[in-house]
Amino acid sequence: MGLLTDPGAGRGKLTQLLVTYHNKLCILLYVGGVAWFLILAHDNFNAGTYFSENALLPGLVKGEFDKEALAKTYQSELLDEAARYPDGVPYSWLLAKFRQINLDVYTHNFTLNYPLGLGTEYTGKNVYAILRAPRSSSTEALVLSVPYRPPTSVHPGTVPSIAIMLALAKFFRRQKYWAKDVIFLVTEHEQLGIQAWLEAYHKATSGRSGVLDHGDMMGRGGAIQAAINLELHAEKIMFILMLKYKGLNGQLPNLDLVTLVHRMCSKEGVRHTFKNRENGNYRDTFKEWLHSFKTLMAMVSTQATGVPNGNHGLFHRAFMFSLFAFSSAFFKNGKGNTALYFQIGRVLEGLFRSLNNLLERFHQSYFFYLLPATDRYISIGMYMPPLGLLCAGLVIKAFALWLKMQEDPTKRNDSDKEDSDMKSENSGSEKKGAGNFSLVPVGMTVLATHTLGIILLSSPQALSVVVSRIWYVNRYFNIPGIFYLDSKHAHSSIILPQI
Amino acid sequence: LDDNRYVDLENISGKLNYYFQCKSLLGFLFCLEYRVVQHCHLFPRALGEVVGRYNIQELHISLTEGLWRHEAWGYPVHEAPPGAEIWTWFKEGTQDIDTTWKELTGALSGLLCASLNFIDASNSLNPEFTFRPAGVVSSAQQMNSSLLRYATLPREIVCTENLTPWKKLLPCDAKKGLSTLLNAGHIHNTNYHSLALHLRPVCRDTACSKMSVELRQTVSLVYDMVILGSGNQDWSIKKLFGIGLSGACPLATMSNIYIDVTTNETGTPFQLSPNPPAIISSTRGGYESKFAVYDVKALNISGMFNIAAVYGSSKVYAVNLPPVLYANRYIIGYGQEYGGIVTKIHNGHWKPLDVIYLENIPWFIPVYLHTLKIVANGKEIQPLFKKYIPGKARSRPYYLEVALRLPARSTTEISIEFDYVFLKWQEYPPDANHGFYIGAAVITSLLPTGRNYTGLPQDGSTITSSFNASREGYLVQLRTETLIITLPTPDFSMPYNVICLACTVVALAFGPLHNITTKRLRLKDSESQTSLFKWLKLNLRFFSKSKEKQS
């Protein structure tokens, strides 16, 4: 503070140098920051992932899942069943299957009063089954969720994931080691379903009340510790498990959970990718770096949008830190092993057993990180210095301008003569001088930016009314649904930045 | 010395629900005259001394793992919440009950190898309405709730170290009789197991001229045949307990096994082998049930005795008919700022039901009474009365007791809101991120029907006394789920980081600060300067001075 208040400060040689060369320095710092960030993708500058939470004990026990034949049966049954309900969910089939496995089965109804446009009302219904843990008294729970998509949906279907979920449920039910309830959840209407289910589970409404009526639910299973969202699209053979884990507003799951999934995939020999990119395996250092860097940039660019890339994203809000979407994708040059129900079942079994081992909820490892590969990470401590360099330019620039304002005009005139390249910058402040500095233009700028912000914030509502008057809102449920969620969370994120 | 001991085992199989394939209850009971505690014959001396020393009128302890799921399993014979629960009536005229209570729990903690010593005034209540003396009461003064203490330890984990001392209280230990069935390896593989001790005064004759102390030791187990079975519902004593029965305890006056065979007629039929010597039927509260009885003493067992149930057809899942009254409890809200506790009570009866709801909230979860909301079928209802004593940090839990009339066929939600608070850093338990437990709520009611009801009547002590015991009402005291909440927990590695940082800063700052504050600046004689450095400095100064002169 002495620097800002002491009139004598800023006359030193060092500060004079700063004032003289601050432009060059700012450019140097900026370039340095970018360069630093670029080299972070190189293996020598980031670290291999490891488990902070020892309780996870990943892959310590041998996988026992052997119900792949059953999963195939479920799949063919469900395909037949789904064909009978081209627009809906085959509830009776799902309920019957869960009941046959001896689980507590419940349904959950929700309503969306569509806030944009003409106020249409949509309803949905989720199905969930709870496996009551024999070793505890329902104080904690894990969630395995699958979005159901009818055959007419614009998104690829998820029938295989429901098949594997049912087979897993059947397998899990006969195990005696469960210490946390396992909730098997089939949601309707993509993210709306999961959002409504979570809101009903916690009886909390986020965003504007009265928009999403989350309804009530009968069965609960304690505090949700972790959740896995499963999406398998391919009908016959899965090539790759693609992992996604970006949450709402760029929230990430605990790094331990990310590591756990990748480690389980490696253990079962399932090819896994991050951002649809497998780990590179190049001899050339530059190519290796370029591959990692592209993966890293893919993560950074999706992080920047703040929109969750799957149903898992919404779980993060509820302090259930963790969610992944598995997804099958045909890799461009998809050679090598193919993963079948057997391997995927084993991966999920190992995953849930590890989560079941957890004594404390995820808190050990990083929540802020960047991933250049599936098994490497850049922690916040490593990516903050380049960011600091990028920002340092701004601070130095501001500081230099401040110092110039402090100088008295007479002296500045002298120095102007000596220093010609500073002349043009000083001319603006010279006219006003240090004494008659006016707050009006600054105030106007601040006011204008704030007004613009408020207008932008409230524009979706107003624009939608205008647009819907002209053009009737399309009937497809999913697309406006997602848009609605995005605009809603933009609101809530401003009010509650912590969640 | 009049003592009789009575041992029984009940096996209710396949009742009502597929999930609950088999529940069993072992009850051990012995009575004796209180005055002879000093030279007790069958009564466990260790317990007798505790009872005598701490002026105990009644004592009820339960150690439970797992949750009794009323919705699927009906009512248990003895209700118990997950973890440990203890409630005690002290005798009239006991001085300084809080201290006695603390000493008692300490002694019991040693006796049962449980963490009961963590019970003190900061987590005990004396509820006014929920708990009544279960035994004979000599005077009206004895009903005063200031003599009562109630506490739960929801985090308590029950395991073999509790089973062994519990078995040692039995006259035959685990050497002979039905207690030989209690093998830790098998009974801890169940979905629910609960050990309990119930001590109460009883009359020895109908005129009540003499009083006795009755000690009832019970263990309740729930087996899940889906996990245990190899795809079928068949069960046997050997399959459940890992061992057959080798005979009755010679000290026992009665040793019976009862098996509920009601479902043989209504649900999936099964065949018992060997054939039961007798089948008795019991009508209670309008519901008839049938029990197969094996008198172990009369069986003259040589070798191992086994009872098996073989089901004829493959699995038939009966539709689960939930009991008249059951409840669920859960936490609402997310984030670590505000939250709420909701208890949902379902009344399936066609008439309104009166219940008393007891909430026991630890002091570190400050609740707000003004947020108490009771909503039945969407309409807010007023309680008949409520009693609330706010908690006090580190010394007293929040006590809330509400009596309400549940409308017929309704779901009532009782909700109350609370704040998340920070604790002092030493108050966090090990594995602080696991969360903090909130004990079960107790819902007391007098049910008008005997459906799904297997509890003992107040005047009875054994399973036998519950047969044909129709009464005006059937007392149930439901225990709800325990809850777990995550209080804001500091990062416990932070102190280490802070220490490292602080030490570095102190080390760096100390030198210069010490220098500045302790040294005084003083002029020195130029003659005394001899070192090279000082010589140079002197010359330089001279040089600069001469330069100034030149300019």
Side-chain angles (χ1 to χ4, degrees):
Chain A
M1 287 309 286
L3 270 175
L4 300 177
T5 50
D6 183 10
R11 301 272 158 79
K13 272 210 170 123
L14 208 65
T15 40
Q16 287 305 324
L17 273 175
L18 192 75
V19 170
T20 320
Y21 296 111
H22 72 271
N23 270 346
K24 284 168 194 162
L25 190 65
C26 289
I27 291 163
L28 190 73
L29 284 174
Y30 195 84
V31 173
V34 171
W36 192 341
F37 189 75
L38 290 180
I39 57 167
L40 278 182
H42 193 271
D43 275 2
N44 286 346
F45 296 91
N46 53 41
T49 51
Y50 62 97
F51 287 103
S52 272
E53 177 63 270
N54 289 320
L56 281 171
L57 302 171
L60 197 70
V61 286
K62 199 175 165 293
E64 287 167 340
F65 177 78
D66 55 355
K67 300 250 183 282
E68 73 273 20
L70 187 72
K72 277 180 193 152
T73 319
Y74 281 137
Q75 183 185 333
S76 59
E77 276 181 36
L78 182 57
L79 279 174
D80 293 344
E81 199 68 25
R84 292 174 55 201
Y85 304 91
D87 285 321
V89 184
Y91 293 112
S92 48
W93 187 85
L94 283 171
L95 292 171
K97 287 295 159 195
F98 278 128
R99 283 214 183 95
Q100 277 171 22
I101 302 169
N102 284 355
L103 300 173
D104 293 1
V105 197
Y106 306 94
T107 54
H108 162 237
N109 296 314
F110 61 92
T111 316
L112 172 73
N113 304 311
Y114 190 58
L116 310 178
L118 299 173
T120 333
E121 207 173 78
Y122 299 92
T123 55
K125 190 169 164 186
N126 298 325
V127 176
Y128 65 102
I130 305 179
L131 162 61
R132 300 291 182 187
R135 301 257 157 190
S136 78
S137 45
S138 287
T139 47
E140 294 166 300
L142 305 170
V143 176
L144 177 62
S145 75
V146 175
Y148 181 82
R149 288 172 190 149
T152 52
S153 167
V154 289
H155 301 289
T158 54
V159 168
S161 37
I162 292 175
I164 189 83
M165 176 204 244
L166 284 167
L168 271 172
K170 174 117 183 159
F171 171 77
F172 284 178
R173 180 65 183 83
R174 299 208 47 187
Q175 309 307 314
K176 59 184 175 189
Y177 45 67
W178 296 111
K180 295 178 171 68
D181 286 4
V182 185
I183 302 175
F184 300 94
L185 169 66
V186 181
T187 59
E188 200 186 357
H189 301 318
E190 305 295 318
Q191 301 189 347
L192 273 177
I194 201 111
Q195 173 74 13
W197 189 83
L198 278 174
E199 287 188 4
Y201 198 92
H202 296 96
K203 272 198 142 195
T205 307
S206 57
R208 188 179 307 211
S209 60
V211 174
L212 183 60
D213 180 10
H214 54 66
D216 197 11
M217 61 164 67
M218 278 294 290
R220 283 180 174 79
I224 296 174
Q225 301 288 306
I228 306 281
N229 186 40
L230 188 66
E231 279 182 37
L232 303 174
H233 307 309
E235 306 220 338
K236 281 177 185 166
I237 295 165
M238 275 59 65
F239 280 92
I240 304 273
L241 281 179
M242 182 169 70
L243 305 181
K244 299 176 182 177
Y245 18 74
K246 194 171 66 72
L248 188 67
N249 295 334
Q251 268 185 323
L252 292 165
N254 193 293
L255 186 57
D256 266 343
L257 191 66
V258 178
T259 316
L260 176 67
V261 181
H262 286 301
R263 198 66 66 89
M264 290 314 302
C265 286
S266 308
K267 183 176 176 261
E268 299 298 336
V270 176
R271 290 173 68 186
H272 50 282
T273 61
F274 172 61
K275 291 285 158 208
N276 214 356
R277 295 169 66 80
E278 260 190 306
N279 284 356
N281 188 18
Y282 299 98
R283 295 239 175 108
D284 185 14
T285 325
F286 178 73
K287 277 183 180 165
E288 176 91 42
W289 168 81
L290 195 67
H291 188 87
S292 303
F293 180 68
K294 280 180 180 165
T295 317
L296 176 66
M297 284 320 288
M299 182 181 184
V300 171
S301 56
T302 44
Q303 281 288 94
T305 60
V307 181
N309 55 1
N311 280 359
H312 55 277
L314 300 169
F315 277 89
H316 293 301
R317 291 167 59 84
F319 275 79
M320 298 164 266
F321 287 116
S322 13
L323 227 118
F324 304 88
F326 286 130
S327 175
S328 75
F330 291 91
F331 207 53
K332 274 174 199 154
N333 40 3
K335 29 186 190 184
N337 297 336
T338 53
L340 301 167
Y341 277 142
F342 180 75
Q343 277 95 341
I344 291 167
R346 286 271 165 108
V347 169
L348 285 167
E349 183 207 349
L351 205 58
F352 272 85
R353 286 203 75 169
S354 282
L355 294 173
N356 185 50
N357 285 341
L358 270 186
L359 185 62
E360 303 177 79
R361 57 171 60 212
F362 279 112
H363 69 284
Q364 292 266 19
S365 198
Y366 297 95
F367 287 103
F368 300 97
Y369 52 84
L370 294 172
L371 299 173
T374 58
D375 55 351
R376 314 282 305 173
Y377 78 102
I378 301 164
S379 76
I380 184 166
M382 284 148 97
Y383 71 70
M384 280 313 273
L387 187 69
L389 284 191
L390 296 181
C391 297
L394 297 175
V395 177
I396 286 171
K397 181 81 184 170
F399 184 52
L401 287 176
W402 172 261
L403 284 177
K404 268 190 249 169
M405 271 175 62
Q406 290 296 308
E407 287 168 19
D408 51 288
T410 51
K411 203 185 171 192
R412 197 185 298 126
N413 285 337
D414 299 342
S415 66
D416 275 351
K417 281 163 198 162
E418 291 159 19
D419 200 348
S420 56
D421 60 298
M422 276 170 67
K423 196 175 181 178
S424 55
E425 284 167 29
N426 283 343
S427 56
S429 55
E430 210 177 347
K431 286 170 197 162
K432 289 167 198 149
N436 54 3
F437 173 73
S438 168
L439 275 173
V440 177
V442 180
M444 288 303 282
T445 318
V446 170
L447 202 68
T449 45
H450 274 73
T451 320
L452 191 66
I454 289 163
I455 290 169
L456 280 175
L457 194 69
S458 51
S459 62
Q461 190 83 27
L463 277 176
S464 76
V465 174
V466 173
V467 169
S468 65
R469 291 266 162 78
I470 303 162
W471 170 67
Y472 185 66
V473 181
N474 62 38
R475 281 156 202 263
Y476 290 106
F477 190 77
N478 294 327
I479 302 155
I482 289 169
F483 173 59
Y484 142 73
L485 275 174
D486 290 344
S487 61
K488 193 179 68 154
H489 292 310
H491 285 275
S492 60
S493 70
I494 291 161
I495 301 155
L496 295 166
Q498 196 214 346
I499 300 173
Chain B
L1 194 77
D2 177 5
D3 31 55
N4 70 68
R5 171 162 176 265
Y6 169 80
V7 186
D8 80 49
L9 163 108
E10 186 200 24
N11 245 316
I12 304 176
S13 54
K15 194 180 174 187
L16 294 171
N17 192 358
Y18 57 83
Y19 192 102
F20 172 37
Q21 298 296 341
C22 184
K23 78 177 171 184
S24 66
L25 175 102
L26 268 81
F28 303 89
L29 175 124
F30 29 110
C31 306
L32 86 168
E33 195 172 354
Y34 179 67
R35 290 201 190 104
V36 294
V37 162
Q38 275 77 5
H39 12 184
C40 37
H41 174 45
L42 288 183
F43 195 90
R45 192 193 157 105
L47 188 65
E49 282 174 359
V50 170
V51 170
R53 172 151 185 195
Y54 298 109
N55 257 341
I56 287 166
Q57 171 87 5
E58 256 184 46
L59 176 69
H60 302 266
I61 306 174
S62 70
L63 297 167
T64 311
E65 188 71 41
L67 178 73
W68 187 275
R69 302 185 191 278
H70 296 93
E71 202 180 335
W73 303 345
Y75 298 114
V77 180
H78 292 286
E79 285 276 358
E85 184 195 53
I86 173 167
W87 53 287
T88 306
W89 283 93
F90 290 94
K91 284 202 159 92
E92 257 182 275
T94 308
Q95 298 297 310
D96 201 1
I97 290 182
D98 277 332
T99 320
T100 320
W101 171 238
K102 178 86 193 98
E103 285 169 10
L104 168 71
T105 52
L108 289 172
S109 154
L111 191 69
L112 293 169
C113 288
S115 333
L116 298 172
N117 54 324
F118 286 110
I119 291 172
D120 55 19
S122 73
N123 53 9
S124 341
L125 297 173
N126 42 349
E128 208 164 307
F129 309 103
T130 300
F131 296 105
R132 303 280 83 199
V136 182
V137 181
S138 46
S139 67
Q141 294 296 310
Q142 186 58 53
M143 303 282 276
N144 186 349
S145 71
S146 63
L147 296 169
L148 170 71
R149 287 293 178 276
Y150 167 79
T152 56
L153 292 173
R155 204 182 181 171
E156 181 72 9
I157 291 163
V158 181
C159 203
T160 40
E161 81 263 22
N162 306 110
L163 181 67
T164 314
W166 182 90
K167 280 200 283 196
K168 284 205 170 129
L169 298 176
L170 295 168
C172 286
D173 200 333
K175 307 248 177 346
K176 201 89 174 110
L178 292 182
S179 55
T180 50
L181 297 176
L182 300 175
N183 297 308
H186 283 81
I187 75 162
H188 292 299
N189 260 343
T190 50
N191 277 18
Y192 172 91
H193 60 89
S194 170
L195 304 171
L197 287 177
H198 299 275
L199 186 115
R200 61 171 189 172
V202 288
C203 290
R204 280 172 74 174
D205 45 26
T206 44
C208 218
S209 56
K210 275 181 160 180
M211 300 274 279
S212 282
V213 170
E214 174 198 283
L215 173 68
R216 194 162 35 184
Q217 277 183 265
T218 62
V219 48
S220 310
L221 307 166
V222 174
Y223 290 89
D224 187 349
M225 294 310 283
V226 177
I227 295 175
L228 201 70
S230 45
N232 56 23
Q233 285 175 287
D234 301 350
W235 58 266
S236 69
I237 287 190
K238 201 159 175 216
K239 195 169 169 184
L240 300 182
F241 298 100
I243 194 170
L245 190 59
S246 60
C249 170
L251 296 167
T253 51
M254 188 174 151
S255 183
N256 284 4
I257 296 173
Y258 299 92
I259 296 167
D260 187 341
V261 292
T262 319
T263 50
N264 234 346
E265 286 156 20
T266 57
T268 326
F270 59 91
Q271 191 68 45
L272 285 173
S273 108
N275 270 329
I279 289 184
I280 55 169
S281 69
S282 150
T283 312
R284 196 178 188 198
Y287 288 86
E288 195 185 338
S289 43
K290 284 192 168 156
F291 294 92
V293 187
Y294 294 87
D295 187 347
V296 183
K297 270 189 124 63
L299 281 171
N300 284 327
I301 296 163
S302 57
M304 285 293 177
F305 176 67
N306 191 15
I307 301 173
V310 184
Y311 284 80
S313 63
S314 59
K315 280 174 227 163
V316 177
Y317 299 124
V319 176
N320 177 34
L321 196 61
V324 174
L325 181 77
Y326 61 97
N328 297 110
R329 200 151 92 117
Y330 48 90
I331 292 271
I332 56 167
Y334 46 69
Q336 291 191 322
E337 208 175 350
Y338 315 109
I341 301 171
V342 175
T343 311
K344 233 184 195 175
I345 309 175
H346 304 264
N347 174 17
H349 195 55
W350 58 276
K351 269 199 307 195
L353 266 184
D354 288 349
V355 297
I356 299 172
Y357 169 78
L358 169 69
E359 188 67 272
N360 169 18
I361 296 172
W363 59 259
F364 48 79
I365 298 161
V367 296
Y368 295 108
L369 185 66
H370 75 274
T371 60
L372 178 73
K373 230 170 134 184
I374 303 165
V375 179
N377 283 354
K379 265 184 278 174
E380 194 161 344
I381 57 169
Q382 288 304 314
L384 302 178
F385 63 83
K386 58 186 173 194
K387 194 162 163 51
Y388 174 70
I389 300 174
K392 221 169 160 187
R394 293 160 194 92
S395 59
R396 189 173 71 195
Y398 289 80
Y399 158 61
L400 174 68
E401 212 165 13
V402 181
L404 37 127
R405 180 159 293 159
L406 305 177
R409 294 188 211 287
S410 64
T411 304
T412 308
E413 275 188 5
I414 305 174
S415 63
I416 192 159
E417 285 171 24
F418 64 86
D419 273 355
Y420 288 88
V421 293
F422 271 110
L423 301 184
K424 290 179 182 170
W425 72 283
Q426 280 187 319
E427 283 165 351
Y428 288 93
D431 302 320
N433 281 289
H434 178 58
F436 288 78
Y437 283 84
I438 304 176
V442 185
I443 296 157
T444 312
S445 182
L446 218 52
L447 294 183
T449 69
R451 179 154 68 87
N452 296 14
Y453 188 72
T454 51
L456 305 179
Q458 181 116 7
D459 51 8
S461 330
T462 63
I463 292 283
T464 335
S465 58
S466 71
F467 298 151
N468 294 317
S470 285
R471 299 284 186 279
E472 272 180 16
Y474 303 90
L475 180 76
V476 285
Q477 292 203 308
L478 305 182
R479 264 65 166 188
T480 61
E481 290 98 331
T482 50
L483 302 172
I484 194 165
I485 68 160
T486 312
L487 292 186
T489 311
D491 176 5
F492 284 105
S493 65
M494 209 59 203
Y496 169 76
N497 299 340
V498 171
I499 288 167
C500 287
L501 189 70
C503 287
T504 315
V505 170
V506 167
L508 289 176
F510 178 76
L513 276 177
H514 186 257
N515 251 345
I516 292 164
T517 49
T518 54
K519 287 188 179 166
R520 194 187 300 161
L521 291 171
R522 198 171 54 166
L523 283 171
K524 273 193 170 180
D525 303 341
S526 53
E527 292 97 63
S528 62
Q529 293 177 346
T530 49
S531 72
L532 179 72
F533 178 70
K534 279 166 185 169
W535 179 82
L536 266 173
K537 213 169 153 187
L538 200 71
N539 279 332
L540 278 172
R541 198 182 289 163
F542 176 74
F543 180 69
S544 62
K545 272 179 189 167
S546 63
K547 226 180 162 183
E548 266 174 37
K549 275 175 195 167
Q550 278 176 1
S551 67

